[in-house]
Amino acid sequence: MNKVLCTILLLSLTAVSSSAWEKSMALVSVSVTDMKSAPDYQSETISQATMGTPVEVTGKEGYWYSIVTPEGYTGWTTELNLALVSDERYQEWKSSQRLVVTDYFTVVREAPQLSSPVVSDCVMGNILELCPAADDGDGYVRVMLPDGRKGYVGENSLRAFDSWLEEVENPTGEDIVETAGMFLGFPYLWGGLSPKGLDCSGLVRLSYFMNGLILLRDARQQIETGITLDHNDIKGNLRAGDLVFFGRPADGRRPRSVTHVGIYMGDGMMIHSSLRVRINSLLPGREDSYTGKRVVGAVRILGCQDSEPGIVTVLRHPWYFNQNQQQ
């Protein structure tokens, strides 16, 4: 069978399995799972989802699940990386005492000892459930992973999810810039949105998520959200935390194309993920000027949360909390 026929057959099977599948919820059960464009390891990695992220499962093909993330992004991941949850269990999870990982990396161990075997790794932004135990070791917290595995994490790597979100409920632009700056020097990874590797819009999304906001995934989507700014006067019109977009402007023959995004820092500077997370000037004539692409737009995110499409606080997202919890 040639490659064209194989592709047609795969798409047909996917359509059948997805249409026959009854949608359900799941929690990502590994620190980071790749999201593929098709149910095939050789397909493109288009994004990632991190542990404790609630996703909607919309179809199944073999051991692959098609999923939708809280911001509406779709892709495929394998069944071992998800924990399917019943409606009852999902409601319990949304009301449970949860913890968020605030260190770049940490591990869950079988026992509250540094020498104990590792159950799983974790990255910044992972969400775990608190699992109180009488035998908590000094400096450790007992947790439960989304798939039911239990273990211990150093308490300094975690924050209580609810109180953490309340503290970051009204972030400033400087808060966003400070968070993004934590990843300086981290490697670029196409589709990446964790400390293991970040693409340009992944850096934006993680920086905002760690300040309690869920943004759309891709640069071409992010430019359509928030308040549109005049990007012809960078220093005059932009504030810290605003997003700056690059690509090809629209002309009489073609629409605008958005291929890159950075976070404005102030004073004409931005932080972005290009080869690695780094800082460049947006002003011409400097050695550190970013001139690889043309600025095609800028938007302000802060001030638009929960009032503009595509900008939602985690506290008010119904996939993370039961609605009556936040009333």
Side-chain angles (χ1 to χ4, degrees):
M1 188 180 295
N2 62 38
K3 290 184 178 179
V4 173
L5 288 176
C6 286
T7 300
I8 293 173
L9 179 59
L10 177 61
L11 291 174
S12 299
L13 289 171
T14 299
V16 171
S17 62
S18 296
S19 62
W21 179 267
E22 185 175 346
K23 293 180 181 180
S24 60
M25 297 302 293
L27 300 171
V28 176
S29 57
V30 293
S31 62
V32 182
T33 186
D34 288 343
M35 294 174 62
K36 297 285 191 176
S37 61
D40 184 343
Y41 279 114
Q42 297 184 16
S43 66
E44 178 187 18
T45 297
I46 54 174
S47 188
Q48 295 177 325
T50 58
M51 182 182 289
T53 299
V55 297
E56 184 178 49
V57 180
T58 57
K60 189 174 189 294
E61 174 61 37
Y63 54 81
W64 292 86
Y65 285 113
S66 61
I67 63 172
V68 181
T69 62
E71 68 270 27
Y73 210 76
T74 62
W76 292 84
T77 193
T78 58
E79 60 185 3
L80 284 179
N81 294 343
L82 296 179
L84 299 180
V85 291
S86 65
D87 289 344
E88 181 181 5
R89 169 66 184 127
Y90 184 42
Q91 298 305 316
E92 289 176 354
W93 179 82
K94 290 196 287 183
S95 300
S96 67
Q97 288 185 278
R98 286 165 287 177
L99 304 162
V100 61
V101 175
T102 52
D103 277 352
Y104 296 116
F105 309 101
T106 190
V107 294
V108 182
R109 296 186 180 277
E110 289 183 2
Q113 302 167 0
L114 192 59
S115 59
S116 180
V118 172
V119 175
S120 174
D121 73 310
C122 292
V123 300
M124 184 182 290
N126 283 179
I127 301 170
L128 310 169
E129 285 184 76
L130 179 64
C131 190
D135 59 344
D136 277 6
D138 185 32
Y140 284 86
V141 177
R142 191 168 187 248
V143 300
M144 183 169 71
L145 278 60
D147 58 8
R149 289 176 292 166
K150 297 180 175 68
Y152 295 82
V153 178
E155 62 183 5
N156 292 333
S157 297
L158 302 168
R159 294 285 307 280
F161 190 51
D162 291 19
S163 60
W164 170 73
L165 284 174
E166 290 172 359
E167 288 180 13
V168 299
E169 188 173 6
N170 294 297
T172 65
E174 288 73 19
D175 292 330
I176 304 299
V177 169
E178 181 180 0
T179 301
M182 296 173 64
F183 303 105
L184 280 171
F186 280 51
Y188 179 92
L189 177 66
W190 178 265
L193 46 68
S194 85
K196 293 184 178 182
L198 297 151
D199 64 16
C200 62
S201 55
L203 173 66
V204 169
R205 192 190 181 285
L206 180 57
S207 298
Y208 271 86
F209 182 81
M210 294 308 296
N211 283 279
L213 295 177
I214 300 173
L215 303 190
L216 298 182
R217 174 63 180 89
D218 289 340
R220 60 181 172 79
Q221 298 172 312
Q222 293 167 355
I223 197 173
E224 302 296 339
T225 63
I227 300 170
T228 300
L229 305 172
D230 181 1
H231 60 275
N232 293 308
D233 181 4
I234 295 291
K235 292 187 71 172
N237 295 326
L238 270 64
R239 300 199 299 249
D242 292 341
L243 304 184
V244 186
F245 299 89
F246 302 81
R248 185 192 66 233
D251 56 31
R253 298 171 301 157
R254 299 175 298 185
R256 178 181 64 188
S257 174
V258 179
T259 58
H260 189 61
V261 60
I263 300 172
Y264 188 65
M265 304 176 69
D267 197 30
M269 307 297 289
M270 75 164 178
I271 182 168
H272 61 137
S273 184
S274 175
L275 302 179
R276 65 178 183 277
V277 179
R278 55 193 173 114
I279 294 173
N280 284 102
S281 174
L282 291 166
L283 307 179
R286 294 176 42 145
E287 288 187 6
D288 59 353
S289 293
Y290 184 73
T291 58
K293 296 173 183 169
R294 183 172 175 180
V295 176
V296 295
V299 302
R300 178 161 300 144
I301 298 296
L302 298 180
C304 298
Q305 47 266 51
D306 300 317
S307 62
E308 295 285 338
I311 307 171
V312 184
T313 57
V314 179
L315 270 171
R316 292 172 180 81
H317 196 296
W319 287 17
Y320 286 89
F321 291 95
N322 292 313
Q323 294 183 8
N324 59 6
Q325 285 180 260
Q326 303 307 317
Q327 292 177 355

